[in-house]
């Protein structure tokens, strides 16, 4: 394998992950190219890059997802390689192939790895053959309800019908008894056909109250892989993760070793190249089972970096340059504890609907063990067209208890005004008993969280004061402050804080 050092890399993404990747590239002395849509002209990832190429209208289907536009931008700017980040084109095998056909390097796995892992039945078969534990169930697609019932009888109810092409929780249905099977199978196949263009479904034992454990791996593409320990991601809502931690509070050292070994086996069995994540579910009885492999850098990779002292973006770039693995398994160890809090622009009191608008105020907490991976800045208008995740607050401390204590401090100090966001959710979660003792499962949010019980309702006077302050601030910023609206010395904390924010923003 020959080494090809990159001079310039195009990052085919936006938001915090594009910024994070460019930070890594800069530290390696590599030039950075951003791509941006109409509404992202002033986005942070554009400001962070050495060069930026306009790629079209706001909808991702007309910009960030258009393979030809991304590749042309790379060729035009003389980039050597493309980093896809997560989402968008990151797990699109055709994209990876087109990038290589254009003579560029795709910083990620081969399209073959993506194909095997993109299909749940083929990945199940592959893992079973490699000796990685999979959930009891079938390795063939099922279409006949009678056959599905025979399988369910043999593994025991409840069972889960899963679409082969499904993902992110789409195309799954629990079946509690045989009488529900026929209609459940018909519905799951119908939805899968409509959503994924592939109606193949299979049957698995339904694991109730599971934990979500995933293992970070790095592969050299030549059959050698290492693990970078696990993350626990059980705090999620409708298959969207909200808090992740490293390590998992649920594993003994023995179980940790077994799961990490299984993940290495998974990666080596497909000659995996680059950074990947092997997802498992952990049953209450301690049994763990392969669910799927994500063939990309993940949102929650920073908690792994904090606890293992690694740089996963750098590791990916070195592998793509043909330099192999920059860490040996023996060099990777756990030190301390890390938690990541995803900051979403969404309104819990409105069924978590996305919230958009200008970032009016942003105070980033600092101090020992604090990291903010952010895609926003004060004054940026959050567009509606993309993921509502604005930034990730990542906290490290020596022990889990100290990490919780530091996280409480940091989440109290953080100030974010503009779109409605979920900082209140995080402050709530840290005070829950099952979070504090680490026994929480994937049912945590559904079972424990009631937005109406904790969302502080503003009383009328407070609401008026906030509206007045925000409109005055906006008017000042535009230079159209009405006559007579100057704030006089009146000793009130509201006035003082309004005046300070105006001075600050001049
Ligand atoms: C399961 C399961 C229970 N039993 N499979 C959800 C998304 C997809 N990655 C697989 N998922 C699950 N598969 C069996 N046989 C429970 C889930 C599941 C879940 C898994 C990980 C994290 C959060 C979850 C939330 C609900 C259900």
């Amino acid at each position: 394998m020959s080494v090809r050092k990159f001079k310039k890399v195009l990052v085919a993404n936006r938001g915090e992950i594009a910024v994070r990747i460019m930070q890594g590239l800069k530290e390696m002395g590599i030039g950075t190219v951003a791509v941006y849509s109409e509404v992202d002209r002033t986005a942070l990832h554009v400001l962070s890059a050495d060069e930026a190429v306009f790629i079209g209208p706001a909808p991702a289907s007309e910009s960030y997802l258009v393979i030809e536009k991304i590749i042309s931008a790379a060729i035009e700017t003389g980039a050597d390689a493309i980093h896809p980040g997560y989402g968008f084109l990151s797990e699109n095998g055709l994209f990876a192939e087109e990038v290589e056909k254009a003579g560029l390097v795709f910083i990620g796995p081969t399209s073959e790895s993506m194909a095997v892992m993109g299909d749940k039945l083929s990945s199940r078969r592959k893992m079973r053959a490699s000796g990685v534990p999979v959930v009891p169930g079938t390795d063939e697609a099922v279409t006949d309800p009678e056959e599905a019932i025979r399988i369910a009888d043999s593994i025991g109810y409840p069972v889960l019908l899963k679409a082969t092409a499904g993902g992110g929780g789409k195309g799954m249905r629990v079946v509690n008894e045989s009488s529900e099977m026929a209609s459940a199978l018909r519905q799951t196949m119908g939805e899968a056909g409509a959503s994924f263009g592939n109606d193949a479904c299979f049957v698995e034992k339904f694991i109730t109250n599971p934990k979500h454990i995933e293992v970070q791996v790095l592969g050299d593409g030549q059959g050698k892989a290492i693990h970078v320990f696990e993350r626990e991601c059980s705090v999620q809502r409708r298959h969207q993760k909200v808090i992740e931690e490293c390590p998992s509070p649920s594993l003994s050292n023995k179980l940790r070793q077994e799961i990490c070994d299984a993940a290495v086996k998974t990666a080596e069995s497909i000659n995996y190249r680059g950074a990947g994540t092997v997802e498992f579910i952990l049953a209450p009885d301690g049994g763990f089972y392969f669910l799927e492999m994500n063939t990309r850098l993940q949102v929650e990779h920073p908690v792994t970096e904090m606890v293992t002292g690694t740089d996963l973006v750098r590791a990916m770039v070195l592998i793509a340059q043909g330099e192999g693995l920059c860490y040996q398994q023996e060099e990777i160890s756990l030190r301390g504890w890390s938690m990541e809090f995803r900051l979403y622009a969404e309104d819990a009191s409105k069924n978590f609907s996305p919230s958009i608008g200008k970032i009016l105020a942003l105070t980033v907490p600092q101090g020992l063990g604090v990291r903010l991976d952010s895609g926003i800045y004060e004054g940026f208008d959050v567009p509606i067209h993309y993921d509502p995740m604005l930034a990730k607050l990542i906290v490290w401390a020596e022990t889990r208890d100290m990490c919780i204590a530091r996280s409480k401090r940091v989440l109290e100090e953080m100030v974010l005004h503009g779109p409605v966001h979920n900082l209140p959710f995080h402050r709530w979660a840290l005070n829950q008993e099952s979070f504090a003792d680490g026994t929480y499962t994937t049912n945590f949010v559904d079972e424990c969280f009631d937005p109406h019980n904790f969302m502080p309702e503003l009383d009328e006077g407070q609401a008026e004061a906030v509206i007045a302050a925000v409109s005055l601030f906006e008017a000042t910023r535009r230079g159209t402050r009405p006559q007579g609206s100057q704030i006089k010395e009146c000793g009130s904390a509201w006035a003082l804080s309004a005046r300070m924010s105006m001075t600050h923003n001049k």
Side-chain angles (χ1 to χ4, degrees):
M1 184 88 197
S2 63
V3 173
R4 174 181 168 184
K5 301 244 190 206
F6 305 146
K7 287 198 192 66
K8 199 187 273 188
V9 169
L10 180 142
V11 179
N13 217 297
R14 66 179 302 283
E16 65 85 20
I17 195 64
V19 174
R20 160 70 186 94
I21 292 163
M22 287 176 197
Q23 289 169 346
L25 292 168
K26 286 175 196 172
E27 290 169 19
M28 298 178 78
I30 297 171
T32 53
V33 184
V35 289
Y36 64 96
S37 73
E38 187 68 50
V39 290
D40 271 344
R41 288 180 183 282
T42 59
L44 191 57
H45 75 284
V46 177
L47 306 181
S48 307
D50 298 325
E51 297 169 73
V53 181
F54 176 69
I55 52 165
S61 59
E62 297 172 49
S63 49
Y64 296 105
L65 287 170
V66 184
I67 293 177
E68 306 79 58
K69 288 185 175 180
I70 306 280
I71 293 178
S72 306
I75 292 172
E76 216 173 275
T77 51
D80 306 292
I82 298 184
H83 196 307
Y86 54 67
F88 294 127
L89 294 167
S90 62
E91 292 177 282
N92 183 318
L94 178 65
F95 178 58
E97 281 171 26
E98 293 295 326
V99 169
E100 310 252 300
K101 269 193 222 155
L104 305 162
V105 177
F106 180 77
I107 304 179
T110 61
S111 61
E112 290 80 16
S113 289
M114 293 184 200
V116 175
M117 291 305 175
D119 177 293
K120 289 195 154 66
L121 270 178
S122 75
S123 64
R124 257 180 84 82
R125 285 193 208 109
K126 185 84 196 167
M127 288 313 109
R128 196 198 286 284
S130 311
V132 174
V134 296
V135 188
T138 49
D139 284 355
E140 300 297 330
V142 179
T143 53
D144 171 18
E146 292 304 318
E147 193 198 344
I149 289 170
R150 277 195 298 279
I151 298 161
D153 283 342
S154 77
I155 58 181
Y157 286 92
V159 296
L160 193 58
L161 290 175
K162 281 189 181 177
T164 303
K170 280 186 223 126
M172 302 197 313
R173 194 169 260 97
V174 180
V175 182
N176 291 296
E177 49 180 278
S178 58
S179 65
E180 300 170 7
M181 186 64 84
S183 79
L185 183 59
R186 198 178 339 104
Q187 286 182 44
T188 312
M189 286 179 66
E191 281 167 21
S195 308
F196 315 118
N198 171 2
D199 70 358
C201 290
F202 64 104
V203 185
E204 260 182 20
K205 174 88 187 151
F206 179 58
I207 311 290
T208 51
N209 261 321
K211 283 173 160 271
H212 173 129
I213 312 281
E214 58 182 34
V215 180
Q216 177 70 54
V217 295
L218 291 169
D220 68 359
Q222 315 280 309
K224 169 75 188 159
I226 62 167
H227 71 79
V228 196
F229 289 102
E230 83 285 358
R231 297 180 284 261
E232 173 149 357
C233 314
S234 301
V235 181
Q236 53 82 47
R237 210 194 121 264
R238 303 208 189 135
H239 306 290
Q240 197 178 48
K241 294 165 188 166
V242 193
I243 303 175
E244 302 95 341
E245 57 182 316
C246 173
S248 162
S250 319
L251 301 183
S252 63
N253 280 333
K254 179 170 173 284
L255 196 49
R256 170 169 298 119
Q257 190 64 56
E258 284 172 25
I259 293 192
C260 291
D261 286 347
V264 169
K265 212 185 255 186
T266 301
E268 291 192 339
S269 73
I270 58 168
N271 290 336
Y272 192 76
R273 182 183 73 200
T277 296
V278 187
E279 263 184 51
F280 297 93
I281 41 176
L282 178 66
D285 67 2
F288 68 88
Y289 309 97
F290 170 86
L291 271 188
E292 54 194 70
M293 180 170 185
N294 301 314
T295 55
R296 58 166 190 272
L297 182 69
Q298 288 200 246
V299 177
E300 57 273 24
H301 77 278
V303 291
T304 299
E305 294 182 325
M306 300 294 267
V307 172
T308 59
T310 55
D311 179 341
L312 295 171
V313 169
R314 179 168 181 274
M316 292 179 86
V317 171
L318 291 173
I319 293 165
Q321 289 186 152
E323 299 185 67
L325 301 177
C326 60
Y327 306 110
Q328 308 239 297
Q329 187 67 71
E330 305 75 54
E331 295 170 347
I332 306 284
S333 59
L334 297 171
R335 186 179 168 139
W337 212 280
S338 183
M339 292 179 176
E340 173 179 275
F341 303 89
R342 297 191 186 190
L343 304 182
Y344 288 110
E346 63 183 18
D347 190 346
S349 69
K350 293 196 179 120
N351 196 27
F352 297 89
S353 60
S355 172
I356 54 164
K358 196 183 285 294
I359 305 295
L360 297 172
L362 174 63
T363 304
V364 177
Q366 297 183 356
L368 180 58
V370 183
R371 164 174 172 183
L372 187 78
D373 278 21
S374 168
I376 58 168
Y377 58 88
E378 253 178 42
F380 179 61
D381 232 315
V382 178
I384 30 162
H385 307 82
Y386 314 108
D387 192 280
M389 198 185 71
L390 304 177
K392 308 175 311 203
L393 193 54
I394 303 118
V395 177
W396 178 92
E398 288 161 56
T399 66
R400 189 167 189 273
D401 284 348
M402 289 160 86
C403 190
I404 289 176
R406 181 168 289 162
S407 298
K408 286 182 183 172
R409 186 269 289 178
V410 162
L411 283 159
E412 272 318 312
E413 287 177 0
M414 177 138 190
V415 176
L416 178 56
H417 289 302
V420 183
H421 56 73
N422 67 338
L423 277 172
F425 170 87
H426 291 303
R427 295 174 185 140
W428 168 86
L430 283 166
N431 284 306
Q432 298 312 298
E433 196 178 305
S434 70
F435 186 81
D437 66 18
T439 58
Y440 65 91
T441 70
T442 50
N443 301 326
F444 174 66
V445 183
D446 294 337
E447 281 173 2
C448 305
F449 181 71
D450 179 359
H452 303 288
N453 279 347
F454 90 107
M455 285 295 289
E457 293 287 329
L458 289 176
D459 69 37
E460 218 168 295
Q462 283 175 319
E464 276 173 13
V466 168
I467 291 162
V470 169
S471 31
L472 181 59
F473 165 74
E474 278 287 275
T476 307
R477 203 182 52 78
R478 289 193 302 266
T480 56
R481 189 169 58 168
Q483 286 282 307
S485 72
Q486 275 103 324
I487 295 163
K488 301 254 162 56
E489 223 55 62
C490 66
S492 109
W494 279 110
L496 186 64
S497 113
R499 200 177 48 216
M500 281 172 64
S501 80
M502 286 191 301
T503 320
H504 181 71
N505 284 287
K506 270 223 177 96

